Amino acid sequence: MEILWVLLALVLLGFVLLPVLRRRRGMIEQVPPGHPDAADPAHYGFALEEELDIRMPGPDQDLLDVLDLVQRTGDYRAARQLLAGTEAEGERRWQRVQAFAGAAALELQQRPGGVGETPGGQWLRVWRAENPKDVGGAAVHAEFLVQQAWRTSSPGTDEFRIIMEEARAACGEAALLAPGDPIPYIVELSVARGLAYPRSEFEQLWLKILDRAPAHMGAHLAALHYWCEKWHGSRELAYSFAEAAAARAPRGSLLSAMPLFAVFEHLPEVNLVGSFWQSEVVTKAVHGALHAVHGVRPDDPMSAHVRHLLLFFLVRGERWAEAMNQLVHVDGHVGALPWTLSADPAAEFAIYRALAVAGYEANGGSPATLPH
């Protein structure tokens, strides 16, 4: 019996030491800040950890300016104007709808209102009351309800179901205002996941999106969640969905990166196989994502999402130069997977950035050799 306890202790010790030992591979050694041998991301012009923007995956100054104005004045009109001037089928409009809805939801969470107090997010209520037929306002309201359901209640509870049913109705109203707009249907993908739509019903919803925006990366990422093992599908169904999207990706599309997101969604919680990050399934998915970002337009707002996830996999795979190349494109913003899953996204990002810099320098790299 004693030998069993000894073996168990050795196994548990392995769980603790494995991440440390893996970080030391490729000559990476963890040294304290300020040590002469410590790799310093600041030498590459990277932002300080406290300067990292956790709100968005990449820059959108117009959105930030409008959000600041709306929240400072309580006047929704700038938000309405910005959405009206943003291409309906594009990725940026979807991101902006999410941002406005998220801002209103966060305001309400911080200021729920009480006797004599105006609740947060009042500008969205005024927007809907004064312009009930405004397409942008309807989409933001539907997304606001979805985010409220996930923020304030748990799937399976009556409260969650009630809010999601309200969101579903809001999606329908938004779709009637603009029949060709894919956004209301993309919002409904989260409703479908929360309310566990039957597969036939989900597929009908997905066909409506494909009819309107067949290469919409944000829509594909939202749909992928439904097919994942932790929701209403399986690893095989999620991989099949992602690989089918990559196979039909048009030139200049980011859909070739979909398999990497499917792999990420099904990462094992504990991995004892040191070669996992260089395995065929990971390597193939990483190469697809690298191909996608290489051919995409520089201003594609979804490229930052792909680059952030690439950074995670490239660091874990000890592909330091390629990881540094992604850092050049995304440093400064960390509002994307996988960092947003952490309680401190900036700190999590900073750890991987420091590992990338250390690995790069340990293999002969320097600020002078890094292309910008």
Side-chain angles (χ1 to χ4, degrees), residues 321-362:
E322 292 166 298
M324 291 294 287
N325 183 259
Q326 303 311 314
L327 275 171
V328 168
H329 288 88
V330 301
D331 189 75
H333 297 82
V334 296
L337 288 174
W339 328 121
T340 50
L341 297 179
S342 169
D344 190 342
E348 186 75 6
F349 173 85
I351 290 172
Y352 276 77
R353 183 177 64 181
L355 288 170
V357 170
Y360 184 63
E361 294 187 352

Side-chain angles (χ1 to χ4, degrees), residues 108-272:
L108 183 59
Q109 181 180 342
Q110 294 172 341
R111 303 194 312 275
V115 178
E117 180 185 3
T118 302
Q122 182 66 17
W123 51 269
L124 178 56
R125 296 181 184 84
V126 175
W127 187 354
R128 294 295 294 132
E130 293 184 356
N131 292 273
K133 296 188 180 299
D134 180 64
V135 176
V140 173
H141 178 239
E143 173 65 15
F144 166 81
L145 290 171
V146 167
Q147 294 196 27
Q148 275 293 94
W150 293 108
R151 284 173 182 267
T152 64
S153 52
S154 301
T157 63
D158 288 342
E159 181 184 6
F160 181 86
R161 181 183 55 78
I162 290 170
I163 301 175
M164 277 298 189
E165 289 289 358
E166 187 179 354
R168 184 177 189 174
C171 289
E173 294 172 7
L176 289 175
L177 291 173
D181 188 349
I183 300 297
Y185 300 103
I186 298 175
V187 176
E188 193 178 349
L189 289 172
S190 188
V191 177
R193 176 163 55 98
L195 293 181
Y197 281 20
R199 288 183 183 176
S200 59
E201 188 175 353
F202 183 87
E203 288 168 349
Q204 289 174 6
L205 171 63
W206 182 238
L207 287 175
K208 293 177 182 177
I209 295 171
L210 291 182
D211 286 343
R212 292 161 175 81
H216 199 290
M217 182 67 175
H220 280 79
L221 291 178
L224 176 65
H225 289 297
Y226 178 91
W227 295 112
C228 285
E229 189 174 61
K230 60 188 174 185
W231 287 104
H232 310 299
S234 65
R235 180 191 300 266
E236 292 72 25
L237 286 170
Y239 279 22
S240 176
F241 174 81
E243 288 165 2
R248 66 170 184 271
R251 185 179 181 85
S253 166
L254 288 168
L255 291 180
S256 297
M258 283 299 299
L260 189 66
F261 286 86
V263 171
F264 178 76
E265 291 295 337
H266 294 87
L267 286 178
E269 292 188 10
V270 176
N271 173 42
L272 295 180

